[in-house]
Amino acid sequence: MQSQNIPKATVVGNSLGGWIATEFAVQHPEMVDKLVLVDAAGLAGKIQGFPADISIDLNPSTIAAWRTLLESIFYDKSGVTDELATHLFTNRMRNNDGYTIERALAGFAARPQFEDDKLKSIHAPTLVLWGRNDELISVDSAERFRRGIPGAKVVVFEHCGHVPQVEKPEEFNRALLEFLGG
């Protein structure tokens, strides 16, 4: 933002990106016009697969593990195919980013930096969007973000998993555009 001379922006993050967006809003409130958290990580408590419960591999290194992760991300499992899992696995091998992801996850596990106690310092208008059927991060976290961030608004999408922007694009875009235009 500084190199592009952007003094203030709306920050949107999904999952780990939501955690990063939250921390950015805490550290740089003057740079955040609005904040949008989508099935965001970052609160203390049980998150499937991270860091203690390893039943879901967040850094899959096989096609089968990719399929398992995809099945935990989507409410509608019909789009989860062997072809999609193979495509993502192939991209992982091509990008060679497995080590980076593994180190990031290990860092979070070794030194948790949860946002719970920092939420009250966020004063940017905040929209929290969540899939009711998120298997990775419970919809209960949406309410925790709402209670923690003054004035935060929550929208929950029914029959939706961890990525409402993919599973419910029309509803997601409508809620986002309404928030941004308001």
Side-chain angles (χ1 to χ4, degrees):
M1 288 174 66
Q2 291 171 340
S3 72
Q4 296 300 309
N5 200 27
I6 300 170
K8 203 168 200 174
T10 294
V11 180
V12 181
N14 175 231
S15 196
L16 176 58
W19 191 342
I20 294 166
T22 301
E23 183 62 23
F24 185 82
V26 167
Q27 290 189 27
H28 304 284
E30 74 286 356
M31 297 176 77
V32 179
D33 183 46
K34 294 182 178 182
L35 178 64
V36 180
L37 304 176
V38 184
D39 293 75
L43 300 180
K46 184 177 180 185
I47 299 172
Q48 282 295 99
F50 175 77
D53 179 351
I54 57 171
S55 62
I56 298 173
D57 184 357
L58 297 179
N59 189 21
S61 58
T62 66
I63 294 170
W66 266 109
R67 185 170 182 117
T68 299
L69 178 59
L70 289 168
E71 288 173 347
S72 71
I73 289 174
F74 291 101
Y75 170 77
D76 180 2
K77 315 281 189 236
S78 67
V80 177
T81 63
D82 289 338
E83 292 77 21
L84 179 58
T86 299
H87 173 74
L88 292 171
F89 173 78
T90 302
N91 281 350
R92 166 62 51 84
M93 294 299 107
R94 185 179 305 116
N95 294 339
N96 196 28
D97 59 2
Y99 177 77
T100 301
I101 294 167
E102 184 272 326
R103 296 311 313 146
L105 292 172
F108 291 135
R111 197 171 138 244
Q113 304 163 41
F114 296 113
E115 302 297 318
D116 303 69
D117 294 335
K118 304 174 191 176
L119 296 179
K120 63 184 171 290
S121 72
I122 297 173
H123 295 289
T126 301
L127 177 63
V128 179
L129 301 171
W130 222 274
R132 166 117 23 233
N133 309 97
D134 187 335
E135 294 179 25
L136 292 179
I137 307 173
S138 168
V139 69
D140 297 341
S141 291
E143 180 59 23
R144 291 173 59 201
F145 276 110
R146 188 197 62 74
R147 283 193 319 263
I149 300 172
K153 177 184 174 190
V154 172
V155 175
V156 176
F157 302 101
E158 300 298 328
H159 309 291
C160 185
H162 191 64
V163 286
Q165 68 275 25
V166 175
E167 286 196 284
K168 299 288 185 173
E170 290 176 12
E171 294 173 47
F172 179 90
N173 287 338
R174 187 172 30 257
L176 183 61
L177 291 173
E178 183 179 304
F179 175 70
L180 295 177

